[in-house]
Amino acid sequence: MTTFDDREKAFENKFAHDAELKFRATARRNKLLGLWAADLLGHRDEAAEAYAQTVIIADLDEPGDDDVLAKLATDLEGMVERAAIRDKMMELMMQVAEDLPQTDT
């Protein structure tokens, strides 16, 4: 293999690794977001976990965060403003990002 091939493979591996980390971080954020919303809705224990799973699954509908935001805005209508949900999404993503293991680039 040439140096170019080695570098290309390394970049491909890093891209795949970064994509997996982003997916896992987003799923973790969505679980925490679902648990937060479940608490506001009065769900506890297994019901809260089940609701959090619906939030995780909602994110698989389409790319981006709009599907999760729409679900939560509908479910929390009259309780929490859409902007507050978006703020919570950003807060939890920052929290999850801090918890991720740091790797050398």
Side-chain angles (χ1 to χ4, degrees), residues 4-23:
F4 180 76
D5 291 334
D6 291 342
R7 288 185 61 170
E8 182 180 26
K9 183 141 181 81
F11 282 122
E12 288 173 357
N13 288 339
K14 182 172 180 358
F15 179 81
H17 177 15
D18 290 349
E20 180 182 350
L21 278 179
K22 183 177 184 209
F23 176 81

Side-chain angles (χ1 to χ4, degrees), residues 62-74:
E62 54 189 63
D65 292 334
D66 290 339
D67 42 2
V68 172
L69 183 59
K71 176 186 179 21
L72 291 173
T74 299

